[in-house]
Amino acid sequence: MKAVCWQGVNELSVERVPDPAILNAQDAIVKVTASTTCGSDLHLLGGHIPAMRAGDVIGHEFLGEIVETGPEVTRHRPGDRVVVCSIIGCGRCWSCRHGDWSLCENSNPNPGITDLMWGGSTAGIFGYSHAMGGFRGSHAEYVRVPFADHNAFTVPEGVSDMDAVFASDAVPTGWMGADLGGVRPGDVVAVWGCGGVGQMAARAAMLLGAERVVAIDRYPERLAMTTRHVGCEVVDYTTTDVVSELRERTGGRGPDVCIEAVGMEADSTGLQRVYDGVKQRLRLEQDRPAAVREAIHACRKGGSVFVLGVFAGFVDKFPLGALMNKGLTLRGAQQHGQRYIPKLLELIGRGDLKPSHLATHTMTLDEGPRGYDLFRNKKDGCVRAVFRPWI
């Protein structure tokens, strides 16, 4: 089959790889009909995620049709149109049973890597390095889905492919940030990043009752898209001091909940931008935490900061003193998508969520490298490129 493969830092190619096969009784084979780029893929391309190997198939956010099931799959059958969670959960371990699906204790066959990196193993993720299990990704014609009864969700009639594909990752990740960040009716919420996840976090905060939501970015087309499709306030961080601006908009107090949806390659301005960029390039700092720093300083006393953006290792100049003395709650996680996807598909079906606008570019698999060039370099207003293998 055809697939988009990682070949090295900033190098992708389209290759022929073996078709997937059923390996375990709970597996399903999905014929991919839509698979989208995600900002966390850019960390793979930039060489910031360890344990990548030449030839690895990337991609983790996808929709498709089940074409084969193992003998123990009971909730799906061939012909079902399904969206597949990017995080792989077994459904039986302590973490899965408590709703913490991205902490699954059984789905990552390489737990030693994350044990060493983070002091504990985490779930497997499609197409996201051998540290996360070495699973083939979704930018391919077919994907093997382990534990299919827990990781694939039937898409209701009337929900379009372009809406449903984002229920794989962007929508549940954004929703989790607002939910676990503790957004309550009447809150003021600030979201750093107007990519797919940031926009969905902003929309989730609005649906959870936030009185005001402010999204922060620097790209005019993303700010305009957020205003048009999400309907919240926006701030261009290159034109103002964000902390002062947020204080001004909240009567001097600061947002109740701050959601970071940028990750380890966060951009910034001034000396901070130069400092973090140099240290990361010299590998003296693994991740650039500019947005996290700003969120901690902006958040009101006693407020909540939730980190949605992907981080892999160590950061410098972390404002622990501000966190402690302001009495903030800091949380973060890879998405617990299985907890949210069924509800989110219902919201999409009712029209309360319409993420299809994120798909600014639709392309074939053969155009995979070009799609990532557009996506990474923000060319032609690209927010997400969606690959359609069978078109």
Side-chain angles (χ1 to χ4, degrees):
M1 69 173 183
K2 194 180 297 184
V4 179
C5 300
W6 185 91
Q7 300 295 356
V9 175
N10 297 326
E11 185 178 350
L12 295 175
S13 65
V14 179
E15 305 289 344
R16 287 282 176 183
V17 300
D19 289 350
I22 297 289
L23 300 182
N24 299 298
Q26 298 170 65
D27 289 350
I29 304 298
V30 170
K31 178 181 179 181
V32 178
T33 54
S35 180
T36 178
T37 58
C38 176
S40 56
D41 295 334
L42 302 183
H43 310 323
L44 301 177
L45 293 180
H48 301 295
I49 301 294
M52 289 293 291
R53 299 175 189 169
D56 284 348
V57 180
I58 65 169
H60 57 263
E61 192 166 355
F62 66 108
L63 171 93
E65 176 188 337
I66 289 183
V67 295
E68 185 180 358
T69 59
E72 294 182 14
V73 175
T74 60
R75 297 178 184 174
H76 299 292
R77 60 185 179 183
D80 284 356
R81 184 172 64 126
V82 295
V83 62
V84 180
C85 185
S86 61
I87 302 290
I88 303 169
C90 74
R92 296 192 302 271
C93 70
W94 188 93
S95 294
C96 289
R97 286 186 286 106
H98 285 79
D100 296 332
W101 291 83
S102 68
L103 308 179
C104 178
E105 297 147 31
N106 294 320
S107 64
N108 187 346
N110 301 322
I113 299 176
T114 52
D115 272 334
L116 179 64
M117 291 169 59
W118 302 322
S121 63
T122 56
I125 303 177
F126 290 102
Y128 214 73
S129 88
H130 293 266
M132 301 300 187
F135 294 94
R136 280 188 185 169
S138 61
H139 296 337
E141 293 175 322
Y142 296 93
V143 176
R144 179 179 72 91
V145 177
F147 306 109
D149 279 344
H150 300 289
N151 299 307
F153 298 85
T154 301
V155 178
E157 291 292 331
V159 174
S160 73
D161 284 359
M162 284 302 182
D163 280 320
V165 67
F166 294 107
S168 170
D169 189 299
V171 179
T173 300
W175 192 277
M176 182 186 71
D179 179 37
L180 298 188
V183 174
R184 295 176 297 183
D187 278 352
V188 177
V189 178
V191 180
W192 276 256
C194 290
V197 170
Q199 290 187 44
M200 292 301 101
R203 181 61 182 154
M206 295 169 71
L207 290 173
L208 289 172
E211 181 177 318
R212 296 181 72 181
V213 178
V214 183
I216 301 147
D217 207 299
R218 70 185 176 99
Y219 293 100
E221 62 274 14
R222 295 188 175 210
L223 293 166
M225 176 184 282
T226 303
T227 300
R228 183 168 63 254
H229 292 283
V230 178
C232 68
E233 302 172 43
V234 296
V235 170
D236 180 347
Y237 70 78
T238 66
T239 65
T240 187
D241 180 86
V242 171
V243 175
S244 298
E245 180 72 24
L246 291 173
R247 294 268 167 80
E248 179 70 24
R249 296 190 187 202
T250 57
R253 187 183 59 168
D256 302 288
V257 178
C258 293
I259 300 172
E260 192 276 353
V262 182
M264 66 171 70
E265 296 182 81
D267 205 352
S268 56
T269 59
L271 286 176
Q272 179 180 213
R273 184 175 191 268
V274 176
Y275 176 87
D276 282 328
V278 169
K279 292 204 73 171
Q280 189 178 52
R281 283 192 293 273
L282 293 176
R283 295 298 189 260
L284 298 175
E285 176 183 48
Q286 193 164 358
D287 304 337
R288 300 199 303 261
V292 177
R293 291 188 195 117
E294 196 165 72
I296 288 171
H297 282 289
C299 194
R300 71 160 171 83
K301 293 177 290 185
S304 171
V305 177
F306 198 94
V307 179
L308 281 180
V310 171
F311 287 82
F314 298 98
V315 300
D316 197 3
K317 301 295 185 289
F318 182 81
L320 185 58
L323 178 74
M324 181 266 171
N325 286 288
K326 289 174 68 177
L328 302 181
T329 297
L330 176 66
R331 296 188 68 176
Q334 294 274 9
Q335 65 138 338
H336 306 312
Q338 292 85 343
R339 186 193 299 192
Y340 300 109
I341 291 173
K343 174 183 179 178
L344 297 175
L345 288 171
E346 291 181 10
L347 290 174
I348 292 171
R350 294 205 304 260
D352 294 326
L353 277 169
K354 291 292 291 181
S356 57
H357 71 274
L358 300 174
T360 54
H361 293 69
T362 302
M363 314 175 85
T364 66
L365 274 183
D366 287 323
E367 297 175 287
R370 175 173 169 265
Y372 272 97
D373 177 60
L374 293 173
F375 179 54
R376 179 172 190 171
N377 295 299
K378 313 296 189 294
K379 296 179 180 178
D380 193 32
C382 184
V383 173
R384 288 292 185 95
V386 176
F387 303 122
R388 306 297 299 266
W390 301 98
I391 292 178

